[in-house]
Amino acid sequence: MFDIDIKTLFYTNIVVNILSVCIMRGVWMQTRDRFSGVRCWFFGLLFQLAAFILIAFRGRIPDLFSVVLVNALLFGGQLLILTGLKRFYGTGGVGAHNLVALVLYTAAAWWFTVIDPFLPERNINFALGSLFLGLQSIAYIAGRTAGRTTGKTAGKTAGNPAESPAGATAKLGLLLIAVYTLMAVNDVWRIAVNVPLSRDLPYFDSGAQNSVSLFVNQVVLVSEVFVLFFMVSGRMHAELVAELAERRLAEDAALRSAEKFRKVFESSPNTLILTRIEDGMILDVNPSFEKLSGYAREASIGKTTGQLHLWESDSDRSEVLEALRSGQQVFEKEFRFRTKDGTFLVGLFTTNLMEISGTPCLFSTIQDVTSRKADEERIRHLATHDFLTDLASGTLAAEKLDLALAIAARNAARIAVLFMDLDGFKQVNDTWGHEAGDTLLVEIARRLRRCVREADVPARVGGDEFVIILHEVGTAADACAVAEKILSAVREPFFFGDAQAAISASVGIACYPDHGSDRGALLRAADGGMYRAKQAGKNRWCMAGGNE
């Protein structure tokens, strides 16, 4: 009579459960900020899925998990779905009697598994638990559906053209009652077929009765998930229709009050542009647009943004149009715009479709963020540069040196690293104070920039320590020449008001690939050269591993 064996049905049931969990998770994610109870449905289905997965391992894991825990998960899952229904309708919770029933149900499952193992009695226990919760669900939904059906009829009688959210799920509630009635009939049938049984059997060899019951459970599960899904969809649709109806009334009132719309349009601090979709012609702009772009309202109306050359690139305008044609939203998308005097600015562009007097239009805003972008760039610069001298920081110097090494290795080129320490800087601080010391460091940075090429990287890596990265050095002698130039620049006197100071520097030089092939090796070699220069009397340079 029933050709499909229980194992096939069982594994099919797992697949159905997985799909149901995925569907309900999607519903929950979409409606978690709008409706209560959907989360309970998701976890209820998840509990049931976990139970069926544990059953699949029956015989390979202890019965405490594959039987007792399974029964607790199945009962708990169905209880969560009932709780979700109550929260979805806005009343009630779990109920103390249901928690007591869960404890008694689990205890019975444990007894007929551990103390007196007997599958028929476990089946009866399961059916009684399911019937207990199913009848509660039927009674609860029947009470709620009756009230909502009456409310819906009264609403229509009063002349409300839209079905209220309160009555949106009435018919689906009746369908859900039918689903739970089928589940209750299945539970009663399971009790009837298991009462006469007098011998224990493994679950997967328990006969056609359990196969039929499992198949009915699949039908119930699929029906339950889809009814719950459509209940949420129906309620959301009804609420959205009501919200849209209210919004439409508000929009109609706004359009009828043209003067109010004009005041809002003209007083907006954001740049507003109203264009016709058909040909891109500008229908109106607000004073903020005039101030930002430099184009007067009279000169803008009747032209397109392309004719005004507002876009830095025509490809930007084409990108917006292509996005709109494909149905994508254009919201705060960053573009560069050109003003009437040729100045460029950075703006966040947002546009929305709207209809004015039956004409499809685009209502666009441009938020000027040029100053903000400049501030962000300034912050990024401060993060990678020394705040006093504006030279590259040690972190940026390390990145630049790694990049220079990679380029040099690829091109078989030579680079040099100079490590410089000031001689006599402490005496300047002690004599004239730290303010004079800071002034000296700023001047040292200026002189360093003067001594190197634009592609080279001078950096301050310590209080009076500097690193200079020289790109594409022909020979070591070229690096030595730059070092001599730097020493000469440092020796020039420094003035602090009427005071004058003279300092010098010690410089160590390391070249790639002669003194190392990585950043650490080169910096250590240059540092060593600098210390030898100091030991040799200061005010000089010293090549790494060599002589002055």
Side-chain angles (χ1 to χ4, degrees):
M1 177 181 175
F2 202 79
D3 296 327
I4 302 178
D5 65 283
I6 192 171
K7 283 189 175 181
T8 301
L9 284 169
F10 174 78
Y11 288 111
T12 303
N13 205 33
I14 290 181
V15 174
V16 171
N17 270 272
I18 292 174
L19 294 175
S20 300
V21 168
C22 292
I23 291 172
M24 195 53 65
R25 185 185 183 279
V27 175
W28 176 35
M29 291 294 101
Q30 292 293 324
T31 62
R32 56 185 173 182
D33 295 329
R34 182 179 287 267
F35 302 136
S36 298
V38 183
R39 178 176 60 178
C40 292
W41 296 344
F42 166 69
F43 281 105
L45 294 172
L46 192 63
F47 278 23
Q48 293 181 4
L49 173 61
F52 278 100
I53 292 175
L54 288 174
I55 293 174
F57 289 95
R58 186 167 292 179
R60 287 173 284 179
I61 60 175
D63 288 347
L64 184 65
F65 297 104
S66 67
V67 180
V68 180
L69 180 58
V70 162
N71 277 267
L73 287 172
L74 290 173
F75 190 95
Q78 197 170 341
L79 178 56
L80 278 173
I81 292 174
L82 172 59
T83 304
L85 280 170
K86 293 180 179 180
R87 291 183 177 176
F88 182 74
Y89 282 112
T91 59
V94 177
H97 63 288
N98 286 324
L99 294 177
V100 173
L102 174 61
V103 173
L104 295 175
Y105 173 85
T106 306
W110 173 80
W111 180 271
F112 293 120
T113 301
V114 178
I115 305 301
D116 183 17
F118 196 46
L119 178 62
E121 292 186 353
R122 289 201 302 270
N123 285 338
I124 293 172
N125 181 57
F126 171 78
L128 286 172
S130 177
L131 183 62
F132 173 73
L133 294 176
L135 291 176
Q136 283 190 72
S137 301
I138 292 171
Y140 179 79
I141 297 169
R144 300 299 302 175
T145 301
R148 304 230 169 195
T149 304
T150 303
K152 181 180 68 172
T153 304
K156 286 187 175 181
T157 303
N160 186 358
E163 183 174 320
S164 67
T169 57
K171 293 180 181 178
L172 291 170
L174 295 175
L175 187 57
L176 195 57
I177 289 176
V179 172
Y180 286 134
T181 301
L182 175 62
M183 184 174 71
V185 171
N186 183 48
D187 291 332
V188 172
W189 181 80
R190 175 177 283 193
I191 294 171
V193 299
N194 278 276
V195 166
L197 298 180
S198 59
R199 62 190 183 92
D200 194 18
L201 289 172
Y203 178 76
F204 290 113
D205 297 322
S206 54
Q209 295 91 340
N210 278 332
S211 296
V212 173
S213 179
L214 188 58
F215 175 75
V216 174
N217 277 340
Q218 287 187 24
V219 174
V220 168
L221 175 62
V222 172
S223 303
E224 179 184 46
V225 169
F226 275 95
V227 171
L228 293 176
F229 172 80
F230 285 116
M231 283 176 66
V232 173
S233 300
R235 182 172 168 184
M236 179 177 287
H237 176 265
E239 291 189 1
L240 289 175
V241 167
E243 291 173 4
L244 288 173
E246 292 177 3
R247 187 181 303 173
R248 190 175 297 113
L249 290 173
E251 290 174 353
D252 290 342
L255 289 174
R256 286 193 299 267
S257 180
E259 185 60 32
K260 180 185 291 187
F261 177 78
R262 170 57 56 186
K263 288 180 180 179
V264 172
F265 185 80
E266 292 183 350
S267 63
S268 173
N270 290 328
T271 298
L272 304 180
I273 312 170
L274 187 63
T275 57
R276 191 164 56 204
I277 291 180
E278 181 183 3
D279 52 12
M281 183 180 293
I282 296 175
L283 301 179
D284 205 354
V285 296
N286 70 340
S288 295
F289 173 87
E290 296 179 285
K291 181 178 178 181
L292 184 71
S293 69
Y295 290 100
R297 178 172 178 268
E298 293 75 13
S300 303
I301 294 176
K303 295 183 179 179
T304 67
T305 55
Q307 291 172 333
L308 294 180
H309 305 290
L310 286 179
W311 301 90
E312 178 190 33
S313 171
D314 289 338
S315 62
D316 293 341
R317 180 171 175 270
S318 300
E319 181 183 339
V320 170
L321 293 176
E322 184 60 33
L324 292 172
R325 291 191 190 102
S326 60
Q328 300 178 28
Q329 186 181 22
V330 179
F331 179 75
E332 293 191 349
K333 196 168 182 62
E334 185 177 305
F335 292 108
R336 280 170 58 86
F337 297 93
R338 183 189 293 108
T339 63
K340 185 178 180 180
D341 62 6
T343 304
F344 287 99
L345 58 87
V346 181
L348 298 181
F349 184 77
T350 300
T351 188
N352 293 285
L353 295 169
M354 65 182 302
E355 192 172 286
I356 297 180
S357 301
T359 302
C361 298
L362 287 178
F363 188 72
S364 306
T365 67
I366 301 175
Q367 181 184 354
D368 184 12
V369 294
T370 307
S371 298
R372 190 181 80 187
K373 298 296 289 186
D375 291 340
E376 291 174 356
E377 183 60 35
R378 195 175 300 113
I379 291 171
R380 281 194 292 268
H381 181 83
L382 290 173
T384 56
H385 288 74
D386 178 54
F387 75 96
L388 178 63
T389 64
D390 202 38
L391 294 177
S393 65
T395 302
L396 180 59
E399 295 176 2
K400 294 288 188 180
L401 182 53
D402 287 339
L403 179 61
L405 285 169
I407 295 173
R410 185 169 63 246
N411 298 333
R414 180 191 298 273
I415 66 171
V417 177
L418 279 58
F419 199 109
M420 182 180 81
D421 185 85
L422 300 180
D423 305 324
F425 178 71
K426 183 177 182 301
Q427 184 178 354
V428 172
N429 273 336
D430 293 342
T431 304
W432 289 287
H434 289 285
E435 184 176 349
D438 289 347
T439 302
L440 185 145
L441 289 173
V442 171
E443 177 61 20
I444 287 289
R446 189 186 68 81
R447 295 181 186 182
L448 281 179
R449 292 191 188 95
R450 191 180 66 197
C451 293
V452 298
R453 299 162 299 180
E454 187 175 351
D456 299 328
V457 182
R460 183 187 177 200
V461 296
D464 59 349
E465 294 179 336
F466 299 82
V467 166
I468 302 95
I469 304 169
L470 303 178
H471 290 270
E472 297 183 3
V473 177
T475 64
D478 295 334
C480 297
V482 175
E484 190 61 50
K485 187 177 179 181
I486 291 173
L487 290 175
S488 177
V490 173
R491 282 194 295 265
E492 295 176 8
F494 295 87
F495 298 94
F496 313 109
D498 296 332
Q500 177 179 329
I503 64 170
S504 61
S506 300
V507 179
I509 306 172
C511 294
Y512 167 86
D514 306 330
H515 304 113
S517 58
D518 60 67
R519 175 182 11 123
L522 282 177
L523 289 175
R524 286 192 297 272
D527 186 52
M530 182 271 294
Y531 275 106
R532 280 195 297 276
K534 281 190 175 294
Q535 292 169 356
K538 304 180 181 179
N539 189 27
R540 66 195 65 216
W541 58 263
C542 188
M543 184 68 68
N547 298 319
E548 182 183 0

